[in-house]
Amino acid sequence: MIEGASIERQTELVLQQLKMCVEAAGSSLENVLKCNVYCTSVEKFAAVNEVYAKFFPVDPPARIFINVPAWPGPFDIEIDCVATR
């Protein structure tokens, strides 16, 4: 993560990394079934959602947005997913 980056930039970086991981496993973002989005503030949902929609423009996967109070590290978002091949 880039310390001090906006939530939009953090979300973009996380989703780029997620895309690379899914592709390395032989799948793609089109095969993602569900994402868990962990974020330090519910007020950031709209900004996160705007970036998320760019990565999943058609038939987005199921998603849960979980507000976490804090964690060690200079970032505000983490995303994991379940995908098929």
Side-chain angles (χ1 to χ4, degrees), residues 14-15 18 32-39 52 61-66 77-82:
V14 167
L15 287 169
L18 183 87
V32 172
L33 301 174
K34 181 183 181 207
C35 288
N36 296 315
V37 179
Y38 305 90
C39 189
Y52 185 90
R63 173 181 56 176
I64 186 168
F65 189 93
I66 304 158
I77 190 163
E78 182 175 315
I79 301 173
D80 65 46
C81 75
V82 175

Side-chain angles (χ1 to χ4, degrees), residues 14-46:
V14 167
L15 287 169
Q16 286 172 352
Q17 292 295 311
L18 183 87
K19 181 179 185 286
M20 287 189 330
C21 289
V22 169
E23 289 174 351
S27 191
S28 69
L29 290 180
E30 289 79 25
N31 293 326
V32 172
L33 301 174
K34 181 183 181 207
C35 288
N36 296 315
V37 179
Y38 305 90
C39 189
T40 57
S41 173
V42 295
E43 285 80 25
K44 296 177 181 178
F45 177 80

Side-chain angles (χ1 to χ4, degrees), residues 2 8 10-11 34 36 38 48-49 52-53 62-63 71 74 81:
I2 301 169
E8 293 88 353
Q10 290 183 51
T11 304
K34 181 183 181 207
N36 296 315
Y38 305 90
V48 169
N49 199 46
Y52 185 90
R63 173 181 56 176
W71 49 56
C81 75

